[in-house]
Amino acid sequence: MDLTLPLEQQLNLASGKPADPAGFFGAILHAFQRASAGKLIEHRYRIGGKAVVMRFAGPAIAERFSPAIEHLLDPTVAAPDLTVHIFDDRSTGARMPPAPWAPECHGQRGLIQGYNDDRFFTTYEIGIDILQMFDAEQNSAIYWVRDYEWIPYWENSFPMRSILHWRLRNEPLQAIHAGAVGNASDGVLIAGKSGSGKSTTTLACLASGLLYAGDDYVLADITAQPYVHSLYSTAKLVPDNCERFPQLKPLVSNPDKLSEQKALIYLKEHFPTSVVRGFPLRAILLPRVTGQQNARLVKTGARDAFRAIAPTTLLHLTRATEEAARKISILSRALPVYWLEAGNELPQIPHVIREFLSRGA
C-alpha cells in the first residue's frame, strides 16, 4: 500500500483482513518511536487530578498544542494515569502504518468498525487526516495527523478532548461544553449552546478581575461537592464580538484569519494570575439576552441546565455518550440553576456574579 496516499485512499486499498486493533496500535507506537528519535519533547500535566504525560515527536506539533494547556503543567507528575503519543508525518518524515480496515468499516463520526471495543477507542477524520486511538488496558493513546499544518484552529484550542473523554469515562469526571468563572473560594458554571453568550459572559468576568477556569470546555467533577477543573486556557470569540472587548483585540493569535475563523486567544500568556486550575461550584448559570439594561439572575431548574449542556457536549464526543449524559444529569441536579439574563451593559454581568458569590452558601 502506498503510504504517501491520503488515509481515505488507503482505506480504499485496504485488504479487509480481520480487525487487529492491538497490532495496529503497536505498529503506530513503533512509528512514533522512529518519528521522535532524537527530538522527543515530553510535557507532564495534572488534569482533573490525573497525571497526564504528553510525548511530542518534535517541536512543530508541540507548539500547536502546548499553549492551550500550559497552565496545567506539573513537572512533579511521576507515574502517569494517561500517556499520549503525538506526531505527524510532515515535520518528522515518519511513515504512518497504512490503515488496515476496509472502506465499509469507516462509520459515522469517524468511528472505525472493528477498532472500537471495550479496550480500544478509534476515530479517523477524513479530509484532515487525524487519527486518535486509545488503549484502555494500557492507558496509552495516539494522536496522529498527516501534516501538523492541517490541524484546524479549533482543535488547537481544545487538544486531546476525545482522548481525555475516553480515559475518564469510568471516573466521576466529565468534559463538558461550558465555561467557568469564580473567586478564590468558589465559582459558577456558565453553560449554553453556541451563540448563547457563554464566551461573552466568561470574558466579561475575566476582564473584571474574576478568576477563569474555562471558556469553551471544562472538566466537571460530579462527586458530592461538585467541582470544576480547568482544561484549556483558550478563548474563542466571533470576530464581530471582539469589538466588545477592545482590550483583548491585540491578544488575538490569528488576526489574519478572522474572515474564516473565530478569534483565538491564549489567555494564560496574558492573564497568568487569573487563569486557575479550578474551584468548587456553587451554581449553574445559563446566559440569555433580554435587551434590558441590567443583568439579573432568575431561578430555573435542572432540565434547563441539562438542555444547555448536553446536546453540544454529546455532539462533540464519541463513544461513552450514554455515560456522559448520565454524568451531566447528575451535575444538573446537584446545583441550583439560574438564567443569567444579560442586559445591555456588559459590566453588569460580572457584577451580578460577584454579588451572588459574595452572599455565601
Side-chain angles (χ1 to χ4, degrees), residues 4 16-17 36 102 116 151 153 156 192-193 196 201 212 240 251 258 303 310-311 319 332:
T4 65
K17 294 179 181 179
S36 61
N116 282 279
I151 300 172
Y153 81 97
N156 293 333
K193 64 181 182 180
S196 65
T201 298
Y212 169 102
D240 290 346
L251 313 182
L258 299 186
R303 180 176 297 181
R319 301 282 309 273
S332 299

Side-chain angles (χ1 to χ4, degrees), residues 104-117:
E104 60 268 22
C105 294
H106 196 277
Q108 292 184 348
R109 304 176 70 187
L111 291 171
I112 306 301
Q113 183 180 355
Y115 290 78
N116 282 279
D117 53 29

Side-chain angles (χ1 to χ4, degrees), residues 42 63 75 193 207 233 254 264 303 319 353 356:
E42 191 170 276
E63 289 170 2
K193 64 181 182 180
S233 63
N254 56 339
L264 180 61
R303 180 176 297 181
R319 301 282 309 273
I353 293 176
F356 172 77

